[in-house]
């Protein structure tokens, strides 16, 4: 018998007035009082329960309806969007049982002999009793959205690792050079349980379009997080006892020292799934509970996107295209780490890459190899830095030079000298806006009169998530949102008719996030004659931006809002990355 018994009697408020489902939806702000009155009237007329009326008329979404039912029957609600898969919980209930009873095992607490269960209907006491008899655990039920339970059953059991985690033992294999973990070929590596766990983790990463995988030791477990479309999502937990074996396996594949756990290490290996091959850059770091592993996935297929695919358009695209076709000068790409600067540079280099020009790049590290381009990776230990490499480049007869990052005065001075002697130079800077790049270079010690004659254009960028087309819906924004957008866009936005914004509802294909893929938002600042004269006066970023806007520059936030109005992204995404 279950330890917790649920009642179908709705809760009462303090004055003993019974609250109905529609009343709770009004309290939650998901329904108007007028709509609730109509539901009650229909209930009296037809004799149908309120839940059935709400579903038939599609008055609220599944999430709000489930939350209201949870409140009505006094059962805790569980949002399954970010719940990680626990293999030991999935091994307690088979996929067939989970599908049949529409439940998902979230976690088990062996010391309490308790299983946490997300249920489409926690009032079904027969299901609770059956699962308690089947598992030997006491059920702790939570109310969850049926669609999310179905999604987790289909994706969770596919990557559950329940059998492998149960059977896995520590394994030590031979060390070697860069190796390929090939899942398309059968062999000893697939028979090893820890190797199978690694294969599952990486296979899911490729399938879910992850850019990074984090394997992090905690006090009692190891969690696996995936960065998908720039956001970290926890998808898996593994018993802590397997952590060392898991890290050792990855170290062997990456060519690292498995007996050295006190210092950070770097390595790489390839992973080939049924559909594609990726290059993995692996980094380990000692933490309080063990070594943390981060794996960066770099696709070997798919090619480099062109400038329009990145999200550049209109005057920003034209200004950048005009400047990259000039024979000499400096073009800077700015933004924080993870804002897509390297991808933009690769896109530009690919556009300029012909047999008639000698293109040389100095990178840290070389992320993608471009045929026909001479790419060099810096190696500070051996004395190859951005500055020393750039000095050597000038003796290699280049037409176009890409310097991964300008970090100090020496590199800045050499980049300026290279542009003055007839080379086109591309580089990156860590500044928040395009206008902020010029004061940063001046602070590094660059001469104002040299900057004014060498900088062609500066691009600032961020990356936002795109709305998933498969579940995109429109909605009417409130007055505050309209005023915010109108205040930023001004004359750039002149809506006709009712104003509609867009968002993703969330479905199986996008992992219930409502987003699929990413898009850049940009501001391109061409250094005009007026700005060139201003640089000599050592201006602030604000004064440079003021002049640039007067000359027609669209700011990054404006570009984001234009893309939001066009239904490509959401207001929340633009504010997340571009709000000052």
């Amino acid at each position: 018998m279950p330890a917790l018994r649920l009642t179908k009697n709705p809760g009462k408020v303090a004055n003993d007035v019974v609250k109905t489902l529609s009343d709770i939806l009004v309290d939650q702000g998901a329904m108007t009082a007028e709509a609730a009155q109509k539901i009650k009237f229909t209930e009296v007329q037809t004799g149908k329960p309120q839940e059935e009326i709400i579903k038939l008329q599609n008055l609220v979404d599944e999430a709000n309806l489930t939350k209201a039912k949870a409140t009505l029957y006094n059962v805790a609600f569980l949002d399954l969007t970010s719940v990680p898969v626990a293999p030991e919980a999935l091994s307690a209930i088979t996929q067939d049982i989970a599908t049949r009873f529409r439940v998902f095992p979230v976690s088990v607490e062996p010391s309490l002999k308790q299983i946490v269960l997300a249920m489409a209907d926690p009032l079904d006491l027969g299901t609770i009793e059956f699962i308690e008899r089947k598992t030997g655990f006491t059920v702790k039920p939570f109310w969850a959205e049926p669609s999310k339970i179905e999604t987790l059953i289909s994706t969770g059991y596919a990557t559950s690792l329940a059998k492998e985690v149960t059977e896995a033992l520590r394994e030590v294999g031979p060390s070697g050079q860069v190796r390929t973990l090939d899942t398309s070929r059968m062999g000893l590596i697939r028979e090893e349980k820890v190797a199978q766990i690694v294969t599952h983790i990486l296979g899911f990463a490729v399938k879910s379009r992850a850019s990074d995988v984090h394997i992090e030791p905690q006090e009692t477990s190891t969690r696996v997080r995936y960065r998908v479309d720039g956001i970290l999502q926890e998808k898996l937990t593994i018993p802590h006892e397997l952590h060392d074996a898991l890290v050792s396996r990855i170290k062997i594949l990456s060519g690292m020292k498995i007996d050295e756990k006190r210092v950070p290490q770097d390595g790489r290996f390839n992973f080939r799934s049924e559909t594609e091959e990726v290059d993995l850059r692996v980094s380990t770091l000692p933490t309080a509970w063990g070594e943390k592993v981060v794996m960066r996935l770099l696709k070997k297929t798919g090619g480099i996107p062109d400038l329009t695919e990145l999200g550049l358009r209109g005057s920003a695209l034209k200004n950048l295209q005009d400047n990259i076709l000039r024979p000499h000068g400096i073009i800077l790409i700015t933004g924080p780490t993870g804002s897509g600067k390297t991808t933009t540079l690769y896109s530009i280099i690919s556009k300029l890459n012909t047999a008639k020009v000698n293109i040389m790049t100095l990178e840290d590290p070389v992320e993608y190899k471009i045929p026909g381009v001479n790419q060099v990776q810096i190696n500070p230990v051996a004395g190859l830095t951005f500055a020393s490499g750039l000095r050597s480049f000038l003796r290699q007869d280049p037409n176009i030079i890409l310097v991964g990052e300008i970090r100090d005065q020496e590199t800045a001075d050499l980049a300026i000298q290279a542009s003055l002697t007839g080379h086109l130079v591309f580089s990156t800077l860590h500044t928040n806006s395009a206008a902020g790049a010029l004061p940063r270079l001046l602070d590094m010690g660059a001469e104002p009169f040299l900057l004014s004659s060498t900088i062609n254009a500066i691009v600032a960028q961020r990356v936002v998530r795109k709305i998933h087309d498969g579940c995109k819906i429109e909605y009417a924004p409130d007055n505050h949102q309209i005023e915010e957008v109108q205040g930023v866009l001004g004359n750039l936005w002149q809506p006709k008719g009712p104003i509609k914004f867009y968002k993703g509802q969330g479905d199986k294909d996008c992992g219930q996030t409502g987003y699929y893929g990413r898009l850049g938002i940009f501001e391109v600042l061409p250094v005009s004659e007026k700005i060139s004269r201003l640089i000599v006066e050592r201006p602030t970023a604000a004064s440079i931006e003021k002049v640039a806007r007067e000359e027609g520059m669209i700011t990054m936030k404006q570009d984001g809002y234009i893309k939001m109005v066009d239904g490509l992204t959401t207001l929340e995404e633009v504010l997340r990355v571009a709000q000052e």
Side-chain angles (χ1 to χ4, degrees), residues 262-320:
R262 300 165 301 168
V263 295
Q265 294 188 67
D266 295 301
R268 58 182 289 187
F269 68 97
N270 300 331
F271 175 76
R272 187 181 298 125
S273 68
E274 301 290 338
T275 54
E276 60 184 303
E277 186 173 357
V278 292
D279 183 20
L280 288 109
R281 304 291 167 84
V282 185
S283 170
T284 66
L285 183 75
T287 70
W289 300 112
E291 286 181 285
K292 173 179 174 174
V293 178
V294 175
M295 296 182 280
R296 164 70 54 91
L297 281 75
L298 302 170
K299 288 188 179 180
K300 291 192 169 187
T301 53
I304 295 166
D306 63 30
L307 294 173
T308 51
E309 287 173 332
L310 293 177
L312 275 156
R313 58 189 192 178
S315 60
L317 177 61
K318 186 178 185 307
N319 284 332
L320 183 58

Side-chain angles (χ1 to χ4, degrees), residues 4 6 66-80 116-123 140-145:
L4 177 62
L6 304 164
T66 307
K67 286 176 190 173
K69 284 158 65 180
T71 303
L72 181 69
Y73 296 111
N74 197 26
V75 179
F77 172 79
L78 182 63
D79 183 3
L80 292 179
V116 174
L117 204 62
M119 303 181 69
D121 181 13
L123 306 181
K140 186 178 180 182
F142 284 83
W143 216 311
E145 296 147 80

Side-chain angles (χ1 to χ4, degrees), residues 176-290:
Q177 302 299 314
V178 174
R179 298 176 60 180
T180 296
L181 180 54
D182 189 346
T183 63
S184 61
R185 292 173 55 195
M186 295 296 289
L188 178 63
I189 198 166
R190 297 202 64 189
E191 294 167 13
E192 300 168 349
K193 295 305 173 188
V194 172
Q196 286 182 15
I197 294 173
V198 173
T199 301
H200 273 279
I201 289 170
L202 295 177
F204 185 78
V206 172
K207 205 182 298 181
S208 60
R209 305 173 295 106
S211 60
D212 300 85
V213 180
H214 293 237
I215 299 174
E216 303 169 306
Q218 312 285 298
E219 185 175 3
T220 57
S221 64
T222 291
R223 71 175 178 180
V224 182
R225 295 195 290 173
Y226 298 88
R227 191 177 291 282
V228 181
D229 293 332
I231 306 295
L232 275 173
Q233 302 174 3
E234 187 176 348
K235 293 290 185 183
L236 184 67
T237 60
I238 293 170
H240 189 70
E241 294 77 20
L242 292 176
H243 182 78
D244 285 347
L246 201 61
V247 173
S248 293
R249 186 69 201 162
I250 293 168
K251 280 182 167 184
I252 289 164
L253 288 165
S254 309
M256 300 182 197
K257 297 176 181 175
I258 60 170
D259 57 342
E260 180 54 86
K261 300 180 180 182
R262 300 165 301 168
V263 295
Q265 294 188 67
D266 295 301
R268 58 182 289 187
F269 68 97
N270 300 331
F271 175 76
R272 187 181 298 125
S273 68
E274 301 290 338
T275 54
E276 60 184 303
E277 186 173 357
V278 292
D279 183 20
L280 288 109
R281 304 291 167 84
V282 185
S283 170
T284 66
L285 183 75
T287 70
W289 300 112

Side-chain angles (χ1 to χ4, degrees), residues 395-551:
R395 297 191 288 274
Q396 289 282 322
D397 186 32
N399 298 99
I400 297 165
I401 297 171
L402 186 156
V403 184
E405 186 184 344
I406 293 177
R407 294 178 180 172
D408 51 39
Q409 184 179 353
E410 188 180 6
T411 311
D413 288 344
L414 285 165
I416 290 168
Q417 290 304 318
S419 68
L420 287 171
T421 52
H423 304 93
L424 185 59
V425 180
F426 295 94
S427 193
T428 69
L429 267 181
H430 283 90
T431 60
N432 290 328
S433 65
L438 292 165
R440 174 67 58 86
L441 288 170
L442 291 169
D443 288 343
M444 281 184 187
E447 291 292 345
F449 70 94
L450 291 177
L451 279 182
S452 67
S453 58
T454 55
I455 303 286
N456 292 351
I458 304 164
V459 180
Q461 67 180 77
R462 299 289 188 280
V463 179
V464 294
R465 291 181 290 172
K466 288 166 66 178
I467 297 172
H468 180 216
D469 287 331
C471 63
K472 180 157 72 172
I473 57 168
E474 59 180 37
Y475 69 96
D478 59 41
N479 290 334
H480 175 72
Q481 290 173 321
I482 294 170
E483 287 166 11
E484 160 71 15
V485 175
Q486 190 72 70
V488 172
L489 290 182
N491 295 329
L492 294 171
W493 187 44
Q494 295 174 335
K496 295 172 184 175
I499 296 170
K500 296 289 182 187
F501 289 174
Y502 301 87
K503 64 181 178 181
Q505 265 188 313
D507 62 15
K508 183 179 173 182
D509 293 335
C510 64
Q512 303 294 340
T513 62
Y515 298 100
Y516 193 97
R518 292 197 285 174
L519 183 74
I521 58 173
F522 300 86
E523 63 184 28
V524 178
L525 191 159
V527 178
S528 63
E529 195 175 328
K530 191 172 182 182
I531 291 175
S532 185
R533 287 199 300 269
L534 190 63
I535 293 171
V536 181
E537 301 170 14
R538 293 183 174 270
T540 62
S543 57
I544 295 168
E545 185 170 308
K546 183 173 180 289
V547 174
R549 292 185 69 168
E550 287 168 1
E551 294 181 341

Side-chain angles (χ1 to χ4, degrees), residues 312-373:
L312 275 156
R313 58 189 192 178
S315 60
L317 177 61
K318 186 178 185 307
N319 284 332
L320 183 58
Q321 286 177 330
D322 289 347
N323 279 290
I324 65 177
L325 294 176
R326 291 169 69 175
H328 54 81
I330 298 173
I331 293 174
L332 295 172
I333 313 289
T334 72
T337 302
S339 60
K341 299 187 296 294
T342 304
T343 304
T344 302
L345 283 174
Y346 280 177
S347 183
I348 293 170
I349 291 298
S350 296
K351 184 178 174 65
L352 299 174
N353 185 20
T354 68
K356 296 179 181 179
V357 291
N358 178 20
I359 302 175
M360 305 198 68
T361 76
L362 196 57
E363 305 172 55
D364 180 25
V366 174
E367 290 195 7
Y368 293 98
K369 294 182 176 68
I370 309 172
V373 175

